[in-house]
Amino acid sequence: MACDANPYGKIFVGWLMGQMALAAGSVASRYCGGRAPVVAADAFSFTAPVATGDEVSFHAEIVATGRTSMTVAVSVWRRDRHGDQTERAASGRFTLVSMGEDDRPLPLQEGSSLG
């Protein structure tokens, strides 16, 4: 949307990062079966601008787990609304922590999975 763009019609990087965090959170919360806030983000690369009106797709997958944490890699793909060609626009990694109802880190269950 235009409100998410700079004066040149390209989407703000901050908007993309926020959407990437939402994608990471969705995958992580499904994996751990509960709340999983982002505690760190790194390895960002922005390789192609996203224009207002582009279709944007997010792919997120868990690439590592710890006792309570999950590392989620997210890639962003853009497609011109009227074309078929896609290109990667961004990628990054997020660390999320499984949280219990007491707002304390909750160990991941053995055999947790998305399948």
Side-chain angles (χ1 to χ4, degrees):
M1 300 302 293
C3 64
D4 299 314
N6 64 29
Y8 304 103
K10 306 302 182 196
I11 298 302
F12 286 123
V13 168
W15 181 87
L16 274 180
M17 290 175 71
Q19 299 304 305
M20 293 168 76
L22 289 171
S26 179
V27 170
S29 66
R30 282 183 56 212
Y31 184 86
C32 71
R35 196 163 52 90
V38 172
V39 297
D42 62 19
F44 285 99
S45 176
F46 300 93
T47 54
V50 176
T52 302
D54 281 356
E55 177 183 279
V56 183
S57 300
F58 297 83
H59 175 78
E61 70 176 309
I62 295 175
V63 295
T65 58
R67 191 177 73 79
T68 62
S69 67
M70 297 150 281
T71 301
V72 181
V74 181
S75 59
V76 180
W77 295 83
R78 63 155 299 277
R79 182 184 66 80
D80 179 82
R81 180 171 297 282
H82 304 293
D84 291 327
Q85 185 175 351
T86 62
E87 66 182 316
R88 185 160 56 177
S91 61
R93 289 179 177 254
F94 294 84
T95 302
L96 301 95
V97 173
S98 174
M99 299 295 280
E101 293 202 18
D102 61 356
D103 288 334
R104 297 175 55 89
L106 182 66
L108 297 172
Q109 298 297 313
E110 279 296 315
S112 292
S113 74
L114 295 175

PDB file of all heavy atoms in Angstrom, residues 48-78:
ATOM      1  N   ALA A  48      16.311  -6.996  -3.814  1.00  0.00           N
ATOM      2  CA  ALA A  48      15.512  -6.407  -4.898  1.00  0.00           C
ATOM      3  C   ALA A  48      14.430  -5.532  -4.275  1.00  0.00           C
ATOM      4  O   ALA A  48      13.830  -5.917  -3.269  1.00  0.00           O
ATOM      5  CB  ALA A  48      14.873  -7.492  -5.761  1.00  0.00           C
ATOM      6  N   PRO A  49      14.192  -4.359  -4.848  1.00  0.00           N
ATOM      7  CA  PRO A  49      13.145  -3.501  -4.285  1.00  0.00           C
ATOM      8  C   PRO A  49      11.760  -4.079  -4.552  1.00  0.00           C
ATOM      9  O   PRO A  49      11.530  -4.748  -5.555  1.00  0.00           O
ATOM     10  CB  PRO A  49      13.342  -2.174  -5.025  1.00  0.00           C
ATOM     11  CG  PRO A  49      14.005  -2.549  -6.304  1.00  0.00           C
ATOM     12  CD  PRO A  49      14.845  -3.754  -6.007  1.00  0.00           C
ATOM     13  N   VAL A  50      10.859  -3.831  -3.603  1.00  0.00           N
ATOM     14  CA  VAL A  50       9.465  -4.229  -3.750  1.00  0.00           C
ATOM     15  C   VAL A  50       8.672  -2.955  -4.029  1.00  0.00           C
ATOM     16  O   VAL A  50       8.718  -2.008  -3.241  1.00  0.00           O
ATOM     17  CB  VAL A  50       8.937  -4.916  -2.474  1.00  0.00           C
ATOM     18  CG1 VAL A  50       7.455  -5.245  -2.611  1.00  0.00           C
ATOM     19  CG2 VAL A  50       9.746  -6.171  -2.179  1.00  0.00           C
ATOM     20  N   ALA A  51       7.976  -2.926  -5.152  1.00  0.00           N
ATOM     21  CA  ALA A  51       7.213  -1.740  -5.539  1.00  0.00           C
ATOM     22  C   ALA A  51       5.787  -1.828  -5.004  1.00  0.00           C
ATOM     23  O   ALA A  51       5.254  -2.922  -4.775  1.00  0.00           O
ATOM     24  CB  ALA A  51       7.181  -1.606  -7.064  1.00  0.00           C
ATOM     25  N   THR A  52       5.187  -0.679  -4.806  1.00  0.00           N
ATOM     26  CA  THR A  52       3.778  -0.638  -4.430  1.00  0.00           C
ATOM     27  C   THR A  52       2.990  -1.395  -5.494  1.00  0.00           C
ATOM     28  O   THR A  52       3.180  -1.181  -6.689  1.00  0.00           O
ATOM     29  CB  THR A  52       3.283   0.820  -4.347  1.00  0.00           C
ATOM     30  OG1 THR A  52       4.082   1.501  -3.397  1.00  0.00           O
ATOM     31  CG2 THR A  52       1.831   0.888  -3.951  1.00  0.00           C
ATOM     32  N   GLY A  53       2.144  -2.318  -5.080  1.00  0.00           N
ATOM     33  CA  GLY A  53       1.344  -3.110  -6.009  1.00  0.00           C
ATOM     34  C   GLY A  53       1.923  -4.464  -6.334  1.00  0.00           C
ATOM     35  O   GLY A  53       1.227  -5.314  -6.894  1.00  0.00           O
ATOM     36  N   ASP A  54       3.208  -4.717  -5.993  1.00  0.00           N
ATOM     37  CA  ASP A  54       3.788  -6.040  -6.228  1.00  0.00           C
ATOM     38  C   ASP A  54       3.095  -7.073  -5.336  1.00  0.00           C
ATOM     39  O   ASP A  54       2.638  -6.757  -4.243  1.00  0.00           O
ATOM     40  CB  ASP A  54       5.281  -6.069  -5.862  1.00  0.00           C
ATOM     41  CG  ASP A  54       6.186  -5.473  -6.915  1.00  0.00           C
ATOM     42  OD1 ASP A  54       5.694  -5.095  -7.996  1.00  0.00           O
ATOM     43  OD2 ASP A  54       7.398  -5.370  -6.636  1.00  0.00           O
ATOM     44  N   GLU A  55       3.046  -8.301  -5.810  1.00  0.00           N
ATOM     45  CA  GLU A  55       2.624  -9.413  -4.965  1.00  0.00           C
ATOM     46  C   GLU A  55       3.850  -9.848  -4.177  1.00  0.00           C
ATOM     47  O   GLU A  55       4.931  -9.983  -4.746  1.00  0.00           O
ATOM     48  CB  GLU A  55       2.124 -10.569  -5.825  1.00  0.00           C
ATOM     49  CG  GLU A  55       1.730 -11.788  -5.024  1.00  0.00           C
ATOM     50  CD  GLU A  55       1.314 -12.934  -5.907  1.00  0.00           C
ATOM     51  OE1 GLU A  55       0.159 -12.933  -6.354  1.00  0.00           O
ATOM     52  OE2 GLU A  55       2.161 -13.807  -6.173  1.00  0.00           O
ATOM     53  N   VAL A  56       3.699 -10.039  -2.873  1.00  0.00           N
ATOM     54  CA  VAL A  56       4.821 -10.403  -2.012  1.00  0.00           C
ATOM     55  C   VAL A  56       4.479 -11.708  -1.291  1.00  0.00           C
ATOM     56  O   VAL A  56       3.408 -11.848  -0.715  1.00  0.00           O
ATOM     57  CB  VAL A  56       5.107  -9.287  -0.981  1.00  0.00           C
ATOM     58  CG1 VAL A  56       6.311  -9.638  -0.139  1.00  0.00           C
ATOM     59  CG2 VAL A  56       5.314  -7.955  -1.674  1.00  0.00           C
ATOM     60  N   SER A  57       5.409 -12.657  -1.352  1.00  0.00           N
ATOM     61  CA  SER A  57       5.235 -13.947  -0.681  1.00  0.00           C
ATOM     62  C   SER A  57       6.364 -14.146   0.315  1.00  0.00           C
ATOM     63  O   SER A  57       7.509 -13.759   0.063  1.00  0.00           O
ATOM     64  CB  SER A  57       5.267 -15.090  -1.703  1.00  0.00           C
ATOM     65  OG  SER A  57       4.233 -14.953  -2.646  1.00  0.00           O
ATOM     66  N   PHE A  58       6.032 -14.787   1.448  1.00  0.00           N
ATOM     67  CA  PHE A  58       6.998 -15.038   2.514  1.00  0.00           C
ATOM     68  C   PHE A  58       7.095 -16.542   2.727  1.00  0.00           C
ATOM     69  O   PHE A  58       6.082 -17.220   2.829  1.00  0.00           O
ATOM     70  CB  PHE A  58       6.544 -14.362   3.812  1.00  0.00           C
ATOM     71  CG  PHE A  58       6.466 -12.873   3.694  1.00  0.00           C
ATOM     72  CD1 PHE A  58       5.344 -12.267   3.152  1.00  0.00           C
ATOM     73  CD2 PHE A  58       7.508 -12.076   4.108  1.00  0.00           C
ATOM     74  CE1 PHE A  58       5.266 -10.890   3.019  1.00  0.00           C
ATOM     75  CE2 PHE A  58       7.445 -10.701   3.984  1.00  0.00           C
ATOM     76  CZ  PHE A  58       6.318 -10.106   3.444  1.00  0.00           C
ATOM     77  N   HIS A  59       8.324 -17.040   2.799  1.00  0.00           N
ATOM     78  CA  HIS A  59       8.555 -18.459   3.083  1.00  0.00           C
ATOM     79  C   HIS A  59       9.394 -18.528   4.352  1.00  0.00           C
ATOM     80  O   HIS A  59      10.469 -17.921   4.427  1.00  0.00           O
ATOM     81  CB  HIS A  59       9.289 -19.143   1.934  1.00  0.00           C
ATOM     82  CG  HIS A  59       9.640 -20.562   2.239  1.00  0.00           C
ATOM     83  ND1 HIS A  59       8.730 -21.585   2.173  1.00  0.00           N
ATOM     84  CD2 HIS A  59      10.793 -21.116   2.661  1.00  0.00           C
ATOM     85  CE1 HIS A  59       9.317 -22.712   2.523  1.00  0.00           C
ATOM     86  NE2 HIS A  59      10.571 -22.452   2.826  1.00  0.00           N
ATOM     87  N   ALA A  60       8.896 -19.239   5.349  1.00  0.00           N
ATOM     88  CA  ALA A  60       9.599 -19.348   6.628  1.00  0.00           C
ATOM     89  C   ALA A  60       9.760 -20.812   7.002  1.00  0.00           C
ATOM     90  O   ALA A  60       8.826 -21.596   6.848  1.00  0.00           O
ATOM     91  CB  ALA A  60       8.821 -18.607   7.718  1.00  0.00           C
ATOM     92  N   GLU A  61      10.959 -21.149   7.507  1.00  0.00           N
ATOM     93  CA  GLU A  61      11.190 -22.514   7.976  1.00  0.00           C
ATOM     94  C   GLU A  61      12.146 -22.517   9.148  1.00  0.00           C
ATOM     95  O   GLU A  61      13.071 -21.709   9.225  1.00  0.00           O
ATOM     96  CB  GLU A  61      11.709 -23.411   6.860  1.00  0.00           C
ATOM     97  CG  GLU A  61      13.102 -23.112   6.400  1.00  0.00           C
ATOM     98  CD  GLU A  61      13.594 -24.109   5.364  1.00  0.00           C
ATOM     99  OE1 GLU A  61      13.499 -25.329   5.608  1.00  0.00           O
ATOM    100  OE2 GLU A  61      14.066 -23.660   4.313  1.00  0.00           O
ATOM    101  N   ILE A  62      11.900 -23.427  10.063  1.00  0.00           N
ATOM    102  CA  ILE A  62      12.781 -23.584  11.219  1.00  0.00           C
ATOM    103  C   ILE A  62      14.044 -24.289  10.751  1.00  0.00           C
ATOM    104  O   ILE A  62      13.984 -25.357  10.156  1.00  0.00           O
ATOM    105  CB  ILE A  62      12.080 -24.372  12.339  1.00  0.00           C
ATOM    106  CG1 ILE A  62      10.900 -23.551  12.856  1.00  0.00           C
ATOM    107  CG2 ILE A  62      13.057 -24.714  13.468  1.00  0.00           C
ATOM    108  CD1 ILE A  62      10.049 -24.243  13.876  1.00  0.00           C
ATOM    109  N   VAL A  63      15.184 -23.650  11.029  1.00  0.00           N
ATOM    110  CA  VAL A  63      16.464 -24.216  10.591  1.00  0.00           C
ATOM    111  C   VAL A  63      17.314 -24.710  11.754  1.00  0.00           C
ATOM    112  O   VAL A  63      18.311 -25.400  11.534  1.00  0.00           O
ATOM    113  CB  VAL A  63      17.249 -23.204   9.728  1.00  0.00           C
ATOM    114  CG1 VAL A  63      16.500 -22.928   8.424  1.00  0.00           C
ATOM    115  CG2 VAL A  63      17.523 -21.910  10.477  1.00  0.00           C
ATOM    116  N   ALA A  64      16.937 -24.361  12.991  1.00  0.00           N
ATOM    117  CA  ALA A  64      17.670 -24.843  14.172  1.00  0.00           C
ATOM    118  C   ALA A  64      16.780 -24.680  15.396  1.00  0.00           C
ATOM    119  O   ALA A  64      15.901 -23.823  15.429  1.00  0.00           O
ATOM    120  CB  ALA A  64      18.969 -24.061  14.364  1.00  0.00           C
ATOM    121  N   THR A  65      17.029 -25.546  16.379  1.00  0.00           N
ATOM    122  CA  THR A  65      16.329 -25.426  17.656  1.00  0.00           C
ATOM    123  C   THR A  65      17.331 -25.583  18.786  1.00  0.00           C
ATOM    124  O   THR A  65      18.368 -26.231  18.629  1.00  0.00           O
ATOM    125  CB  THR A  65      15.215 -26.490  17.830  1.00  0.00           C
ATOM    126  OG1 THR A  65      15.800 -27.792  17.728  1.00  0.00           O
ATOM    127  CG2 THR A  65      14.124 -26.322  16.786  1.00  0.00           C
ATOM    128  N   GLY A  66      16.990 -24.960  19.905  1.00  0.00           N
ATOM    129  CA  GLY A  66      17.765 -25.107  21.133  1.00  0.00           C
ATOM    130  C   GLY A  66      16.852 -25.666  22.208  1.00  0.00           C
ATOM    131  O   GLY A  66      15.822 -26.276  21.907  1.00  0.00           O
ATOM    132  N   ARG A  67      17.189 -25.419  23.451  1.00  0.00           N
ATOM    133  CA  ARG A  67      16.354 -25.918  24.551  1.00  0.00           C
ATOM    134  C   ARG A  67      14.994 -25.239  24.561  1.00  0.00           C
ATOM    135  O   ARG A  67      13.965 -25.895  24.713  1.00  0.00           O
ATOM    136  CB  ARG A  67      17.072 -25.701  25.887  1.00  0.00           C
ATOM    137  CG  ARG A  67      16.411 -26.425  27.048  1.00  0.00           C
ATOM    138  CD  ARG A  67      17.180 -26.252  28.333  1.00  0.00           C
ATOM    139  NE  ARG A  67      17.057 -24.915  28.887  1.00  0.00           N
ATOM    140  CZ  ARG A  67      15.989 -24.483  29.570  1.00  0.00           C
ATOM    141  NH1 ARG A  67      14.971 -25.276  29.772  1.00  0.00           N
ATOM    142  NH2 ARG A  67      15.965 -23.255  30.043  1.00  0.00           N
ATOM    143  N   THR A  68      14.979 -23.914  24.375  1.00  0.00           N
ATOM    144  CA  THR A  68      13.719 -23.159  24.360  1.00  0.00           C
ATOM    145  C   THR A  68      13.567 -22.313  23.097  1.00  0.00           C
ATOM    146  O   THR A  68      12.517 -21.717  22.881  1.00  0.00           O
ATOM    147  CB  THR A  68      13.623 -22.206  25.569  1.00  0.00           C
ATOM    148  OG1 THR A  68      14.679 -21.243  25.497  1.00  0.00           O
ATOM    149  CG2 THR A  68      13.685 -22.966  26.886  1.00  0.00           C
ATOM    150  N   SER A  69      14.609 -22.247  22.283  1.00  0.00           N
ATOM    151  CA  SER A  69      14.602 -21.326  21.137  1.00  0.00           C
ATOM    152  C   SER A  69      14.505 -22.032  19.796  1.00  0.00           C
ATOM    153  O   SER A  69      14.829 -23.212  19.659  1.00  0.00           O
ATOM    154  CB  SER A  69      15.861 -20.463  21.158  1.00  0.00           C
ATOM    155  OG  SER A  69      17.009 -21.268  20.929  1.00  0.00           O
ATOM    156  N   MET A  70      14.061 -21.271  18.824  1.00  0.00           N
ATOM    157  CA  MET A  70      13.956 -21.726  17.441  1.00  0.00           C
ATOM    158  C   MET A  70      14.551 -20.647  16.544  1.00  0.00           C
ATOM    159  O   MET A  70      14.280 -19.463  16.752  1.00  0.00           O
ATOM    160  CB  MET A  70      12.493 -21.942  17.050  1.00  0.00           C
ATOM    161  CG  MET A  70      11.797 -23.028  17.867  1.00  0.00           C
ATOM    162  SD  MET A  70      10.026 -22.701  18.039  1.00  0.00           S
ATOM    163  CE  MET A  70      10.033 -21.459  19.333  1.00  0.00           C
ATOM    164  N   THR A  71      15.355 -21.048  15.574  1.00  0.00           N
ATOM    165  CA  THR A  71      15.860 -20.120  14.571  1.00  0.00           C
ATOM    166  C   THR A  71      15.056 -20.350  13.304  1.00  0.00           C
ATOM    167  O   THR A  71      14.955 -21.490  12.824  1.00  0.00           O
ATOM    168  CB  THR A  71      17.354 -20.339  14.296  1.00  0.00           C
ATOM    169  OG1 THR A  71      18.068 -20.162  15.520  1.00  0.00           O
ATOM    170  CG2 THR A  71      17.874 -19.366  13.254  1.00  0.00           C
ATOM    171  N   VAL A  72      14.469 -19.277  12.795  1.00  0.00           N
ATOM    172  CA  VAL A  72      13.614 -19.361  11.617  1.00  0.00           C
ATOM    173  C   VAL A  72      14.223 -18.520  10.502  1.00  0.00           C
ATOM    174  O   VAL A  72      14.486 -17.323  10.694  1.00  0.00           O
ATOM    175  CB  VAL A  72      12.186 -18.869  11.929  1.00  0.00           C
ATOM    176  CG1 VAL A  72      11.298 -18.973  10.695  1.00  0.00           C
ATOM    177  CG2 VAL A  72      11.591 -19.663  13.090  1.00  0.00           C
ATOM    178  N   ALA A  73      14.462 -19.147   9.354  1.00  0.00           N
ATOM    179  CA  ALA A  73      14.930 -18.435   8.169  1.00  0.00           C
ATOM    180  C   ALA A  73      13.700 -18.012   7.364  1.00  0.00           C
ATOM    181  O   ALA A  73      12.784 -18.817   7.157  1.00  0.00           O
ATOM    182  CB  ALA A  73      15.833 -19.328   7.329  1.00  0.00           C
ATOM    183  N   VAL A  74      13.706 -16.758   6.943  1.00  0.00           N
ATOM    184  CA  VAL A  74      12.579 -16.231   6.167  1.00  0.00           C
ATOM    185  C   VAL A  74      13.113 -15.644   4.867  1.00  0.00           C
ATOM    186  O   VAL A  74      14.091 -14.890   4.876  1.00  0.00           O
ATOM    187  CB  VAL A  74      11.813 -15.140   6.947  1.00  0.00           C
ATOM    188  CG1 VAL A  74      10.634 -14.619   6.127  1.00  0.00           C
ATOM    189  CG2 VAL A  74      11.340 -15.663   8.295  1.00  0.00           C
ATOM    190  N   SER A  75      12.484 -16.012   3.765  1.00  0.00           N
ATOM    191  CA  SER A  75      12.814 -15.382   2.482  1.00  0.00           C
ATOM    192  C   SER A  75      11.556 -14.722   1.930  1.00  0.00           C
ATOM    193  O   SER A  75      10.435 -15.191   2.148  1.00  0.00           O
ATOM    194  CB  SER A  75      13.395 -16.397   1.494  1.00  0.00           C
ATOM    195  OG  SER A  75      12.493 -17.436   1.257  1.00  0.00           O
ATOM    196  N   VAL A  76      11.774 -13.616   1.242  1.00  0.00           N
ATOM    197  CA  VAL A  76      10.688 -12.808   0.677  1.00  0.00           C
ATOM    198  C   VAL A  76      10.843 -12.812  -0.837  1.00  0.00           C
ATOM    199  O   VAL A  76      11.936 -12.562  -1.356  1.00  0.00           O
ATOM    200  CB  VAL A  76      10.745 -11.355   1.195  1.00  0.00           C
ATOM    201  CG1 VAL A  76       9.610 -10.530   0.607  1.00  0.00           C
ATOM    202  CG2 VAL A  76      10.721 -11.315   2.710  1.00  0.00           C
ATOM    203  N   TRP A  77       9.757 -13.091  -1.514  1.00  0.00           N
ATOM    204  CA  TRP A  77       9.748 -13.111  -2.979  1.00  0.00           C
ATOM    205  C   TRP A  77       8.754 -12.085  -3.483  1.00  0.00           C
ATOM    206  O   TRP A  77       7.679 -11.926  -2.915  1.00  0.00           O
ATOM    207  CB  TRP A  77       9.378 -14.511  -3.479  1.00  0.00           C
ATOM    208  CG  TRP A  77      10.424 -15.512  -3.103  1.00  0.00           C
ATOM    209  CD1 TRP A  77      10.560 -16.163  -1.916  1.00  0.00           C
ATOM    210  CD2 TRP A  77      11.517 -15.916  -3.902  1.00  0.00           C
ATOM    211  NE1 TRP A  77      11.668 -16.956  -1.934  1.00  0.00           N
ATOM    212  CE2 TRP A  77      12.278 -16.822  -3.148  1.00  0.00           C
ATOM    213  CE3 TRP A  77      11.934 -15.599  -5.190  1.00  0.00           C
ATOM    214  CZ2 TRP A  77      13.426 -17.422  -3.634  1.00  0.00           C
ATOM    215  CZ3 TRP A  77      13.084 -16.197  -5.677  1.00  0.00           C
ATOM    216  CH2 TRP A  77      13.812 -17.102  -4.910  1.00  0.00           C
ATOM    217  N   ARG A  78       9.104 -11.388  -4.561  1.00  0.00           N
ATOM    218  CA  ARG A  78       8.219 -10.391  -5.152  1.00  0.00           C
ATOM    219  C   ARG A  78       7.879 -10.796  -6.594  1.00  0.00           C
ATOM    220  O   ARG A  78       8.660 -11.473  -7.256  1.00  0.00           O
ATOM    221  CB  ARG A  78       8.865  -9.003  -5.140  1.00  0.00           C
ATOM    222  CG  ARG A  78      10.129  -8.927  -5.991  1.00  0.00           C
ATOM    223  CD  ARG A  78      10.463  -7.550  -6.496  1.00  0.00           C
ATOM    224  NE  ARG A  78       9.480  -6.961  -7.343  1.00  0.00           N
ATOM    225  CZ  ARG A  78       9.343  -7.165  -8.656  1.00  0.00           C
ATOM    226  NH1 ARG A  78      10.138  -8.017  -9.292  1.00  0.00           N
ATOM    227  NH2 ARG A  78       8.415  -6.547  -9.332  1.00  0.00           N
TER     228      ARG A  78
END
